[in-house]
Amino acid sequence: MRTKQRLTEDIHEHRRAALVVNARSRRGRRLYESVRARLLASGVTLLADLPVEGDLEDALHRAIDAGADLVIAGGGDGTISTAGRMLAHKDMALGVLPLGTTNNFARTARVPLALDEAVATLVDGKVVDVDLGTADGVSFTNHVGVGLSADVMLKAPHLLKRVSGRVAYPITALGLLTRHRPMRAVVRAGGREHEFHTHQLYVANGGFHAGRPITADADADDRLLVAYAVGGRDKMGLLRETARNAATGHRRSLRHDPFLAVGELTLSTDRPARVEVDGELRGSTPLRIGLDANALRMMAPPNTPDR
């Protein structure tokens, strides 16, 4: 395994990359040719060039096997999460092209959202390593959601998602909330139990959710998971707290309620509750959530702090 400095030097010198773009998304399909042209104009040699409308994991396997120093993934948080999981502990770096709606991981990792600046980061940035979360052995970049968010992933109509995109999820959530029952969730960490009565609980690895800061001092390289409930039993409280989090997250600290910052935890609920991991359904509670420290190497801007 090369050092981060050596891998950075090899990427700068040889510019060998593999490109995987999720062309199923409207933005990925629209921007693929532009992304490819920018990379080639920057002197990048594409050992694999894969616009994906089918099996993303198969395309990523092919990209990894191409022998590049840098595997560039273009898409939203689901695409980046899959790429991060597959590139963990490999002697190559992930390059992030933020082509999604919220781009939570890109924001957490300080990757510029503007396309020209994101490409410049791939070409002239540096390799850093960041933590991945693990939910019962499944790696994730951003978060685990328990409760309403997982129910929404299951129930959102396919036609509505195709027509309205991400707007389908809040529409579905409002419909489900009218009959959604709150859950009693118990988080066990550091020898203590923390109890929440809520419709929604998250455990975050990164510092952003829904494109907004969770707190001012959470990131993907701090060896911490952040567990927090959104509101209590009251359904209107969930809506109020969601709006409050979006408006004030950049001013809040991990030291304040409702945040519980720990290295690992177990989560149980009074009845089995569905679990989504970075937007994909992954079973139900109970589950164990931990950290895989410095598991993923990725390209970041040259001034990015790296622990």
Side-chain angles (χ1 to χ4, degrees), residues 85-100:
R85 181 174 73 250
M86 294 178 64
L87 284 166
H89 302 291
K90 285 189 165 49
D91 188 25
M92 55 188 66
L94 169 66
V96 174
L97 280 173
L99 303 180

Side-chain angles (χ1 to χ4, degrees), residues 214-274:
I214 298 169
T215 73
D217 50 359
D219 63 55
D221 195 27
D222 57 9
R223 315 298 184 272
L224 290 174
L225 299 163
V226 184
Y228 62 102
V230 183
R233 292 185 177 91
D234 177 31
K235 294 173 183 177
M236 290 303 297
L238 172 62
L239 299 177
R240 288 193 300 270
E241 192 66 14
T242 298
R244 176 174 177 256
N245 288 350
T248 66
H250 63 288
R251 298 198 301 268
R252 303 169 79 182
S253 168
L254 292 176
R255 299 187 299 274
H256 302 147
D257 289 338
F259 303 114
L260 174 64
V262 296
E264 62 179 355
L265 60 88
T266 58
L267 171 61
S268 59
T269 50
D270 57 351
R271 63 184 187 278
R274 292 188 183 93

Side-chain angles (χ1 to χ4, degrees), residues 180-194:
H180 197 268
R181 291 168 51 206
M183 61 187 173
R184 173 182 173 269
V186 177
V187 175
R188 296 177 176 87
R192 299 180 62 188
E193 289 191 357
H194 307 264

